Amino acid sequence: MQMSLLEVLRQIPDRRRAEGKRFDLATVLFYAILSMVAGANSYRQMHEFIRIHRQRLNEAFGLDLRYSPSYTGLRLILRGVDPVALEAAFRLHASTIARPPRATV
């Protein structure tokens, strides 16, 4: 069964303290990934992408990010993610994607 990337990202443990959880981890990871796919290659560019497209993304994916984290906030959030858990999430997502049918020659 295919799982959406957002569903898979929700399985990554959030190691932040309760006071530091102003933003949902899965939503921030998802929007950061979308910003990189769109060409962002720095925390500032990710912040700008999220700031500009946040409302449209919220509507498209049924999410509720009230405002964009600052670029330093993004850095802190992303650097705090367990890389092993993130890799496992990507591998899980890749394993659920249906393979295209083999071409017949």
Side-chain angles (χ1 to χ4, degrees):
M1 182 173 94
Q2 185 170 348
M3 296 176 70
S4 75
L5 180 57
L6 190 56
E7 289 172 321
V8 172
L9 293 174
R10 289 197 191 287
Q11 297 178 8
I12 296 174
D14 192 346
R15 302 185 305 182
R16 297 176 291 169
R17 296 186 324 232
E19 307 86 45
K21 294 183 181 180
R22 186 176 305 167
F23 303 101
D24 176 58
L25 178 63
T27 302
V28 171
L29 288 172
F30 186 60
Y31 287 2
I33 291 166
L34 291 177
S35 69
M36 288 185 278
V37 169
N41 58 12
S42 70
Y43 295 115
R44 286 180 193 260
Q45 290 176 352
M46 282 189 244
H47 162 76
E48 281 301 304
F49 175 87
I50 295 169
R51 186 185 66 76
I52 292 168
H53 300 287
R54 179 190 54 79
Q55 186 174 0
R56 191 173 346 167
L57 292 170
N58 282 345
E59 291 169 5
F61 296 105
L63 299 171
D64 186 33
L65 189 68
R66 298 189 193 286
Y67 56 94
S68 175
S70 66
Y71 72 92
T72 56
L74 278 171
R75 184 181 71 229
L76 289 172
I77 293 168
L78 297 178
R79 289 190 65 190
V81 174
D82 179 13
V84 174
L86 186 60
E87 180 181 356
F90 278 119
R91 288 185 183 278
L92 174 62
H93 178 64
S95 73
T96 66
I97 296 174
R99 289 182 170 54
R102 294 184 122 192
T104 57
V105 180

